[in-house]
Amino acid sequence: MEETFEFTYTFRELAERQVTCPVTLFEAAGDDYSFLENTEGWSTRPPTVVELDADHYSLLRQPDLNELIKKIRYRLGQ
């Protein structure tokens, strides 16, 4: 873990490699943007951001967990 990631956001680990697969970020209601949304060069294409109606903690339990499952399945089916 220590060799791969740092405990603070330095973005050094993002600059050393580039992701070539599609990336989807699921953003819970009330969450700030992900640092990946405003960082360039780590991916060959920008991430798709899927906004959720449920908040960060309610996504871990029913009924809001269903929203996350539904949107993950939708993205995988595209």
Side-chain angles (χ1 to χ4, degrees):
M1 174 74 173
E2 190 172 308
E3 290 179 20
T4 305
F5 299 103
E6 297 181 19
F7 293 103
T8 58
Y9 290 135
T10 63
F11 304 110
R12 182 182 63 80
E13 67 272 11
L14 295 177
E16 293 176 353
R17 60 180 80 78
Q18 191 175 57
V19 175
T20 59
C21 65
V23 173
T24 301
L25 303 174
F26 294 92
E27 189 173 285
D31 280 358
D32 288 334
Y33 66 90
S34 167
F35 69 95
L36 293 175
E37 290 179 71
N38 294 325
T39 305
E40 295 181 4
W42 65 272
S43 180
T44 58
R45 58 186 120 175
T48 299
V49 179
V50 176
E51 294 181 5
L52 302 170
D53 294 325
D55 70 45
H56 190 84
Y57 296 103
S58 68
L59 286 172
L60 302 175
R61 59 184 185 277
Q62 295 297 347
D64 292 337
L65 180 60
N66 286 333
E67 178 189 9
L68 180 59
I69 292 169
K70 180 179 176 181
K71 291 192 176 180
I72 289 172
R73 286 183 176 155
Y74 177 79
R75 289 293 301 154
L76 290 173
Q78 288 187 329

